[in-house]
């Protein structure tokens, strides 16, 4: 797997053409509703909605599975821990035989704990996939434009955009270090888990050094261009200043749904129970 395979690079399409401000509303929904709801059905529907958007935007199923597989060990561990020791646990999945010493009669896993572990897993997957969808379908220039049109200071918007530009660079640098190690007869993929962690820890030194070098080069380039961060600047591809009617409707419906979900949880407790 190459470094670029880790990130989803979606083809240009209808979702890619949506204004970044609309996508920020999607991130708001994905990042907050996961904490408003404890209900597994609601969390599952939200996850299905994000996955559906990714598929509609052209994400291959193999790439989507690769993103989930990265977090799969942590998700399984979370479900196991919640199943064993969740304070919400009442009904046991099974009970150890009473004749066993010390552990006899102990409840192992609870239904409520396992369900809440799935809820926590959804809370991890939903923002992870939503961030991938939004930032891999948006050009860095459009990110800066969208943030500045929301009255975010240009320096902050540029820093935000540059951070996401560095993610694929970091992955490519890491892959280059792995290839260099493989040429020296050191194949990390054939190592065991402990030995691989030790080897990857040693690889952090050249990785961080390379990143610092790139950051210094960027600083020199900005100084050479007399960068001041002034908001009074022109853009090579300014894009659309105003949102279309459809985009305004999407923002309005999204915010109304967000407010309604919060009010329903606080006033009526909707979404508070696991099932």
């Amino acid at each position: 797997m190459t470094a670029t395979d880790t990130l989803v690079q979606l083809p240009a399409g209808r979702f890619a053409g949506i204004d970044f401000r609309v996508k920020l509303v999607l991130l708001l929904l994905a990042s907050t509703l996961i904490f408003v709801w404890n209900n597994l059905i609601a969390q599952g529907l939200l996850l299905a909605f994000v996955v559906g958007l990714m598929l509609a935007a052209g994400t291959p199923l193999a790439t989507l599975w690769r993103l989930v597989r990265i977090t799969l060990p942590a998700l399984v561990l979370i479900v196991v821990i919640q199943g064993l020791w969740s304070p919400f646990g009442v009904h046991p999945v099974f009970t150890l035989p009473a004749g066993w010493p010390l552990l006899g009669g102990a409840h192992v896993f609870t239904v409520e704990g396992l369900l809440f572990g799935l809820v926590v897993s959804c809370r991890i997957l939903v923002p992870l996939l939503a961030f991938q969808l939004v930032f891999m379908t948006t050009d860095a220039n459009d990110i800066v434009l969208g943030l500045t049109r929301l009255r975010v200071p240009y320096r902050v918007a540029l820093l935000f955009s540059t951070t996401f530009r560095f993610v694929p660079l970091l992955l490519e640098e890491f892959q280059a270090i792995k290839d260099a190690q493989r040429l020296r007869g050191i194949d990390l993929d054939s190592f065991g888990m402990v030995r691989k962690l030790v080897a990857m820890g040693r690889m952090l030194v050249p990785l961080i050094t390379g990143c610092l070098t790139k950051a210094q080069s960027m600083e020199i380039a900005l100084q050479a261009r007399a960068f001041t961060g002034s908001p009074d600047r022109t853009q090579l591809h300014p894009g659309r200043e105003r949102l279309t009617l459809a985009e305004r409707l999407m923002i309005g419906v999204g915010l109304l749904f967000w407010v309604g979900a919060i009010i329903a949880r606080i006033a009526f407790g909707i979404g508070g129970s696991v099932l």
Side-chain angles (χ1 to χ4, degrees):
M1 181 177 65
T2 61
T4 54
D5 291 336
T6 308
L7 292 174
V8 181
Q9 189 60 49
L10 303 182
R14 291 184 177 180
F15 193 85
I18 297 177
D19 192 276
F20 182 66
R21 288 166 285 186
V22 181
K23 298 177 184 180
L24 281 180
V25 174
L26 172 63
L27 284 182
L28 174 66
L29 294 174
S31 303
T32 55
L33 289 181
I34 55 174
F35 298 106
V36 173
W37 294 328
N38 288 328
N39 187 272
L40 179 59
I41 297 176
Q43 295 277 2
L45 290 175
L46 182 60
L47 177 61
F49 174 71
V50 175
V51 171
L53 285 180
M54 295 191 73
L55 294 176
T59 309
L61 285 174
T63 305
L64 188 59
W65 166 243
R66 192 178 297 121
L67 289 171
V68 176
R69 190 176 60 187
I70 294 174
T71 60
L72 193 57
L75 298 181
V76 172
L77 181 62
I78 288 172
V79 173
V80 171
I81 291 175
Q82 290 292 336
L84 287 172
W85 297 295
S86 174
F88 305 108
V90 177
H91 301 90
V93 176
F94 60 89
T95 304
L96 295 179
W100 288 18
L102 298 178
L103 299 177
H107 298 325
V108 180
F109 292 105
T110 58
V111 176
E112 295 80 5
L114 290 175
L115 293 177
F116 189 71
L118 294 175
V119 170
V120 176
S121 299
C122 289
R123 287 177 174 172
I124 295 174
L125 286 175
V126 168
L128 171 67
L129 297 179
F131 268 87
Q132 290 281 352
L133 174 64
V134 169
F135 290 100
M136 293 301 108
T137 58
T138 309
D139 185 77
N141 186 55
D142 293 334
I143 295 176
V144 176
L145 285 173
L147 291 175
T148 53
R149 286 167 183 166
L150 291 173
R151 302 297 186 267
V152 176
Y154 184 78
R155 290 188 178 185
V156 177
L158 181 65
L159 179 63
F160 189 78
S161 172
T162 304
T163 301
F164 283 95
R165 286 190 182 189
F166 259 87
V167 173
L169 290 177
L170 283 173
L171 295 173
E172 290 176 4
E173 187 78 16
F174 182 74
Q175 185 64 37
I177 296 173
K178 284 183 64 177
D179 293 339
Q181 295 284 2
R182 190 175 289 112
L183 290 174
R184 292 175 174 84
I186 304 175
D187 188 6
L188 293 179
D189 296 331
S190 63
F191 288 178
M193 180 61 68
V194 177
R195 190 180 177 191
K196 182 182 290 187
L197 290 175
V198 174
M200 291 177 67
R202 294 172 179 171
M203 291 167 60
L204 288 177
V205 176
L207 180 63
I208 295 175
T209 303
C211 293
L212 292 176
T213 302
K214 286 183 173 61
Q216 188 177 24
S217 299
M218 180 178 292
E219 178 188 4
I220 294 173
L222 289 174
Q223 290 178 352
R225 289 168 174 78
F227 175 77
T228 60
S230 172
D232 301 325
R233 48 194 302 117
T234 58
Q235 301 288 339
L236 181 61
H237 302 292
R240 291 180 287 107
E241 284 287 341
R242 295 184 178 181
L243 297 170
T244 63
L245 178 60
E247 290 172 341
R248 292 175 184 270
L249 287 175
M250 284 189 284
I251 290 178
V253 171
L255 292 179
L256 283 175
F257 181 79
W258 179 67
V259 173
I262 295 176
I263 293 176
R265 173 63 194 279
I266 295 175
F268 305 103
I270 297 177
S273 60
V274 177
L275 283 179

